[in-house]
Structure formats: structure tokens, C-alpha cells
Amino acid sequence: MRDFQMVDVFGSGPFSGNPVAVVFAADDLDTETMQRITRWFNLSETTFLLPPTNPDADYRVRIFTLERELPFAGHPTLGTCHAWLKAGGEPKTDNIVIQQCEAGLIQIRRTGERLAFQAPPRIRSGPVDDATLNEVLQVLRLDSSAIVEAQWADNGPGWIAVMLESAQAVLSVNAASYHPSGVKIGLVGPHEPGSDAAWEVRAIFNSENGTLIEDPVTGSLNASVAQWLFESGRAEGGYVAAQGTKLGRAGRIHVERDTDGAIWIGGATESLVSGKAEF
């Protein structure tokens, strides 16, 4: 028997964000078993808590999708930190939690009831080549005239960020249902001034069999999009992004840039299910 929690991340109310399952005391579980448990939960990600091997870390986590292990992911990071704190975890430093994962050490900041992770560096940025952009247009079923700009926004998963002229244009995209090769596309467009969110974001990618999927709320994409928006002068100080609207969710991502230039991606976290599992 071991404890687990199911945490809603980036929501603006119960069941409005992106859920992650967090399994405690996973020291004795091998990789194959972790992958099998993840597929059984059937959420986009499941995480497994382990003792840290780095003395600077507060805990170690392994992050799995239905298909593979990830070195880092945004909403699983915040959800895991929330579950660890709720279970009585005490960080070495007040209001800063250090997570160890395959991508290294990730700082998570506590500000009131909200958690935020520091955006990791991108491993690829800059303009998208014509061949890749044509593939993106095919998936999105858009003409090139609809694209304001397209950039690599890859901090691990391989995101391509595509800016459209407005939030409504983002919400109007009716992507293909199938694409034979792997794609990870992040759509972003500005809301009208005075809206409760400055930007609308959508994350579209495909599974191993080519089926196109939309993610409710995506921390890694919002992190790399934020870096692009600040660098290009489209954002200053901080902003709130909306995601999941097309799916009937109400995700809200709070983005801040501190005086050192670090970007923090934060949101609400709430444990909606907790219990014990017999595995």
C-alpha cells in the first residue's frame, strides 16, 4: 500500500485545470512498473516521488506520460510539489522548494497559496524553417497569411510556438485529427485589453499512432512562450494566460519576470483525490 494524490494544476476552480497523479514512496518501483501504473491512471502524466540523490534537493521525481518518461514537465512539477508539501514535506529553504528530476534541479517558489517554477532554458529557439512551417500549417489547416510569427520554443518537449493575430483566431483553429509524424504546436494570440487574461494559449500534439491531442494546460509550453514574449517586447513585467478554453476548462497561468530576468510560471494547485493504492 502506498499513498497517492490527484492534483488539479493551473485551474481557476475545481476540475478546471490539468490533473496529475502523484505516487509517494516509489523507491521500490522499476521503470516498467511506473510506466504501467501511468497507463492505468490514464492521465496525461503521473509522477513518482523518491528520496533525492542530490544533497541540495528536497525530493526527487520521475515524470511519465502514457508513452514515455520526461526529463521535465510544468504542471507535473507544480502538482508534485503541492502533493509533497500537503503530505508534510519541509523544504530546506523557506518558500523555495528544490525538485530533482532528469532535467536537473528545478526551483519552485511559494507565494501565498500559489506555486511557481522557474522557467528552464530553451534548448532550441529562433525562426522555424519553411519545411517545418508548412507541416505546421498542414496540421493547423491554416494559410500562411494567418501566421504572425512562428518560433522554436523548445525547452525539452520540442514545442513550436505559432502566434496568430488574436485570441479568437487561436480558439477558431480546427486542427487536423491525424498527422503521421510527430508535432508539438503551441498556439498563442492576444486577448482584447481589459480581459481577465492577456493571452490565449493552446497546445496541440500527436500520440504515437498519429492522433492529434489537445492538452488542457501546459506549463512547459507557457514557460518557453513567456521567454519569447518577453524577448520580443510583446510582454512586460507579468501577465496571465488562459488555456483549456476550447476544451471547456478554465486554466490560468500566472507569469512573472523578476528583477534578475528569471521567468516564473505559476498557478493554483488543489488536491481533489487522495488515498492508498495497492501496488
Side-chain angles (χ1 to χ4, degrees):
M1 299 282 286
R2 70 189 80 227
D3 293 330
F4 76 94
Q5 293 183 33
M6 298 178 76
V7 184
D8 191 48
V9 183
F10 292 123
S12 55
F15 308 104
S16 63
N18 201 359
V20 62
V22 183
V23 177
F24 289 79
D27 318 39
D28 60 333
L29 299 177
D30 59 25
T31 298
E32 182 182 353
T33 302
M34 290 181 183
Q35 187 69 76
R36 197 164 62 247
I37 292 168
T38 299
R39 290 176 179 147
W40 183 83
F41 273 120
N42 201 32
L43 299 174
S44 57
E45 282 98 2
T46 293
T47 69
F48 298 85
L49 274 164
L50 305 145
T53 57
N54 187 311
D56 295 328
D58 291 302
Y59 62 82
R60 182 162 68 98
V61 64
R62 295 181 68 180
I63 304 168
F64 286 79
T65 71
L66 296 176
E67 297 166 349
R68 64 190 178 98
E69 185 171 5
L70 295 178
F72 170 81
H75 98 271
T77 290
L78 296 189
T80 301
C81 181
H82 170 93
W84 181 78
L85 290 168
K86 186 176 177 64
E90 292 286 346
K92 296 180 175 70
T93 303
D94 286 346
N95 297 320
I96 292 289
V97 178
I98 305 297
Q99 171 180 285
Q100 180 185 355
C101 56
E102 290 301 310
L105 298 181
I106 306 295
Q107 284 196 47
I108 304 161
R109 185 172 65 182
R110 286 194 290 181
T111 305
E113 295 298 313
R114 191 179 299 153
L115 298 173
F117 67 86
Q118 186 174 348
R122 287 161 296 175
I123 60 177
R124 188 175 186 182
S125 59
V128 176
D129 61 272
D130 289 343
T132 301
L133 182 57
N134 286 334
E135 185 178 15
V136 167
L137 291 170
Q138 180 183 352
V139 171
L140 298 177
R141 300 200 278 207
L142 291 176
D143 185 81
S144 60
S145 62
I147 307 297
V148 175
E149 191 176 353
Q151 290 266 330
W152 286 100
D154 183 8
N155 51 15
W159 293 110
I160 297 170
V162 177
M163 182 170 293
L164 304 184
E165 64 179 359
S166 68
Q168 188 54 52
V170 167
L171 293 172
S172 296
V173 168
N174 182 23
S177 59
Y178 170 83
H179 189 71
S181 58
V183 290
K184 289 184 179 291
I185 302 168
L187 288 167
V188 58
H191 277 278
E192 293 289 335
S195 302
D196 76 325
W199 299 89
E200 187 72 33
V201 176
R202 292 177 67 187
I204 297 170
F205 58 96
N206 53 3
S207 64
E208 285 184 334
N209 65 13
T211 301
L212 267 295
I213 300 166
E214 181 163 353
D215 196 42
V217 196
T218 317
S220 62
L221 172 62
N222 276 279
S224 54
V225 163
Q227 289 162 329
W228 177 31
L229 293 178
F230 283 119
E231 287 172 3
S232 65
R234 293 183 173 99
E236 295 181 1
Y239 65 86
V240 176
Q243 191 179 349
T245 309
K246 192 76 172 180
L247 301 176
R249 306 286 179 91
R252 293 295 183 270
I253 304 93
H254 296 258
V255 179
E256 296 180 18
R257 183 169 61 170
D258 65 24
T259 55
D260 296 325
I263 294 172
W264 296 85
I265 308 299
T269 52
E270 184 178 6
S271 293
L272 297 180
V273 178
S274 61
K276 294 185 179 295
E278 295 192 20
F279 50 70

